[in-house]
């Protein structure tokens, strides 16, 4: 998946973009890690009780804070999954909680 200015989680109708007010320190405050290549990456489990079978919300922002990737993945991070097809309200609630924090901290905006 390439970096874009807008992203949509597989199975969701909502489109997200990066906030114009995004700041490096805001990313670090919510748990993003700064990688050696300058990109910022966040991985949050959506069902932490599942152990190695957990699904994750994964977001990566490029180093100039202009483009990003946003997806839900398997534990390995190699395959996108549509968590909206699963009958797991707790997982959807966790996803909404994480996204709400990113919106509140001016990292993401709804398009």
């Amino acid at each position: 998946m390439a970096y874009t200015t807008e992203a949509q989680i597989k199975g969701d109708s909502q489109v997200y973009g990066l906030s114009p007010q995004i700041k490096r320190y805001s990313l670090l405050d919510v748990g993003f890690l700064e990688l050696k290549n300058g990109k910022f990456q966040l991985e949050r489990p959506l069902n932490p009780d599942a152990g190695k079978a957990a699904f994750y919300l994964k977001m990566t922002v490029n180093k100039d804070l202009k483009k990003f990737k946003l997806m839900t993945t398997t534990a390995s991070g190699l395959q996108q999954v549509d968590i909206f097809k699963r009958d797991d309200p707790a997982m959807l609630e966790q996803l909404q909680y994480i996204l709400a924090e990113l919106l509140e901290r001016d990292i993401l905006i709804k398009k």
Side-chain angles (χ1 to χ4, degrees), residues 1-104:
M1 179 178 196
Y3 287 89
T4 61
T5 57
E6 295 182 346
Q8 187 174 13
I9 294 173
K10 188 174 184 176
D12 193 3
S13 60
Q14 182 62 55
V15 177
Y16 297 95
L18 287 177
S19 171
Q21 288 82 29
I22 191 170
K23 303 285 188 237
R24 177 184 177 275
Y25 61 82
S26 297
L27 294 171
L28 298 173
D29 283 350
V30 296
F32 279 81
L33 298 176
E34 189 169 4
L35 305 177
K36 289 182 182 180
N37 59 10
K39 296 176 185 174
F40 296 89
Q41 187 173 42
L42 176 76
E43 286 188 29
R44 292 280 190 250
L46 298 175
N47 54 346
D49 298 335
K52 291 185 178 184
F55 294 109
Y56 286 83
L57 174 69
K58 185 174 181 181
M59 182 174 171
T60 307
V61 180
N62 68 356
K63 62 183 174 182
D64 66 0
L65 307 180
K66 301 289 182 201
K67 295 184 178 182
F68 72 113
K69 296 179 187 180
L70 180 67
M71 65 187 87
T72 51
T73 67
T74 58
S76 68
L78 300 175
Q79 188 175 24
Q80 273 192 350
V81 292
D82 182 352
I83 65 165
F84 293 92
K85 289 185 177 180
R86 302 186 178 274
D87 187 26
D88 191 342
M91 191 169 19
L92 293 175
E93 182 180 347
Q94 181 68 15
L95 174 65
Q96 294 306 319
Y97 176 78
I98 296 167
L99 291 172
E101 182 179 20
L102 295 174
L103 290 164
E104 182 181 314

